[in-house]
Structure formats: C-alpha cells, structure tokens
Amino acid sequence: MKLLADVGLVGLPNAGKSTLISHMSSARPKIADYPFTTLTPVIGMVDAPFGEPFAVADIPGLIEGAHEGIGLGISFLKHIERTGILVHLIDISAIDEDDPLKSFQLINNELSKYSETLAAKKQIVVLNKIDLPDTLEKINAFTRALKNFPILTLSAATGKGVKELVSFLASDLHKE
Ligand SMILES: Nc1nc2c(ncn2[C@@H]2O[C@H](COP(=O)(O)OP(=O)(O)OP(=O)(O)O)[C@@H](O)[C@H]2O)c(=O)[nH]1
Ligand SMILES: [Mg+2]
C-alpha cells in the first residue's frame, strides 16, 4: 500500500489537527470551531531540524462508530491506514478528570475495531491547547492514567511545543 504521509494526525473533531498542521508544515487547511471542518486529508511537508523533510497528513476527525461508517468514518480510517506514525491529538480542555482517558480510548477503540494494522501503529499522544487556563489538573489526571505512551503537550494555536513535537517525530522517523 502506498503511504499517504509519514505521520498522520488523528483525533476527535475540534482537537486542533488542522491548526497543528498549519504550524508545523506548509499546509494551510481551514480551521474553525465546529466539528468536521476538515473533510478530506490535507498533506503538508515538514522541515525537520535533521534528516529528510517528512510528510504529515491532517485527517478529518473520528467519532464514536467511525469503524461502522458513522461520520464518514470508514473513508477517514482508510486514509489513516496509509500513514506511518500516528499523532493522537487531544483537546486538554475536553478531558474529564473523573474519566481522563475517555476520548483517548474512544479513538483507539475505533482504530482497533477497524483493523489490526491500525491498532498496531505507533502512536504519540499529544495534549493540545495548553494555552487555555486551568489545564494543569487535567494534564496530571491524564498522564497519571496513561502509561506506556509518549505524551507531549503543546499549543497548536500559539506554536508553543510544536518544535519539540517536530524534533520528536524527526528522530523517530530517523530510527525507522
Ligand atoms: N485555545 C486554543 N484553541 C485551539 C488550539 N488549537 C486549535 N484550537 C481551536 O480549536 C478549534 C478547532 O480547531 P481545528 O484545527 O479546526 O480542529 P480539527 O481537529 O482540525 O477539527 P476537524 O477538522 O473538525 O476534525 C478552532 O476554533 C481552533 O482555533 C490551541 O492550541 N489553543
Ligand atoms: Mg480540521
């Protein structure tokens, strides 16, 4: 299968995937505060601090039931299957402190119900929107609950932490 991009951005609608790709690459997709702003994948090239430039794909958001076709989910999951590493983007402000992994598990459930290939893909968890107030408790609740995944935090809107993500991805792709 021909790869669409080295890195795929996945997450719920409104997580900030399009905002992130516009900060880390040449792509300039539409950004808006309603779900399903992005309806087709958008590819951008990223200038890495070392190694080759790499391609990142902004994929439309997934919702519960995506693997059964809800919200055009199957078409979106097919695109995700054609990317290398996954960046799983999560809106910190939407984390429920009583059930911090809820949306993380929802997305992973859709990936694994769709295919084993998707379930097995390497995933970097990125908590987005650290510029918003009162995010510390939510970040702590999330990181306490989730083990065995690299977790980065950033603000796709202000760009804080985006360089670190790009370096992390570049070094990961370099190893492969
Ligand atoms: N405060 C804040 N808002 C953000 C940040 N990143 C994205 N947003 C806002 O969140 C909303 C959704 O952003 P998008 O980038 O369109 O989200 P998306 O994940 O591409 O959404 P879909 O295309 O619907 O899947 C917009 O109103 C953005 O301005 C951030 O780091 N901080
Ligand atoms: Mg989008």
Side-chain angles (χ1 to χ4, degrees):
M1 200 187 318
K2 197 167 164 287
L3 271 192
L4 189 67
D6 303 294
V7 176
L9 303 183
V10 302
L12 291 174
N14 269 335
K17 301 175 293 299
S18 301
T19 310
L20 179 59
I21 202 177
S22 32
H23 247 106
M24 67 191 279
S25 79
S26 50
R28 295 289 176 271
K30 182 172 171 187
I31 294 163
D33 64 353
Y34 52 82
F36 297 111
T37 307
T38 308
L39 285 170
T40 50
V42 175
I43 315 291
M45 289 309 294
V46 182
D47 273 328
F50 52 88
E52 300 282 299
F54 61 88
V56 56
D58 173 18
I59 317 264
L62 299 174
I63 55 172
E64 191 165 9
H67 74 282
E68 291 170 324
I70 312 262
L72 296 177
I74 293 188
S75 119
F76 302 162
L77 286 158
K78 265 193 197 140
H79 298 308
I80 299 171
E81 213 161 33
R82 293 179 54 212
T83 63
I85 310 172
L86 301 183
V87 165
H88 185 158
L89 198 62
I90 294 169
D91 175 351
I92 299 172
S93 66
I95 292 175
D96 173 358
E97 278 171 52
D98 295 324
D99 189 4
L101 300 186
K102 192 173 172 190
S103 81
F104 172 78
Q105 284 162 340
L106 185 157
I107 295 292
N108 278 309
N109 197 30
E110 297 304 325
L111 298 179
S112 60
K113 281 194 171 145
Y114 180 72
S115 80
E116 279 178 23
T117 322
L118 272 188
K121 268 191 204 292
K122 175 154 192 183
Q123 218 176 89
I124 294 151
V125 180
V126 175
L127 301 180
N128 183 32
K129 311 196 185 181
I130 44 164
D131 58 287
L132 292 174
D134 306 321
T135 55
L136 197 59
E137 281 308 309
K138 289 175 189 275
I139 294 173
N140 287 342
F142 186 92
T143 46
R144 265 198 305 271
L146 188 68
K147 309 263 173 335
N148 304 325
F149 279 87
I151 303 175
L152 299 181
T153 55
L154 54 76
S155 168
T158 68
K160 187 172 192 276
V162 174
K163 245 196 216 158
E164 288 78 359
L165 172 64
V166 169
S167 298
F168 192 95
L169 292 169
S171 82
D172 227 77
L173 291 165
H174 204 64
K175 275 187 246 153
E176 286 188 350

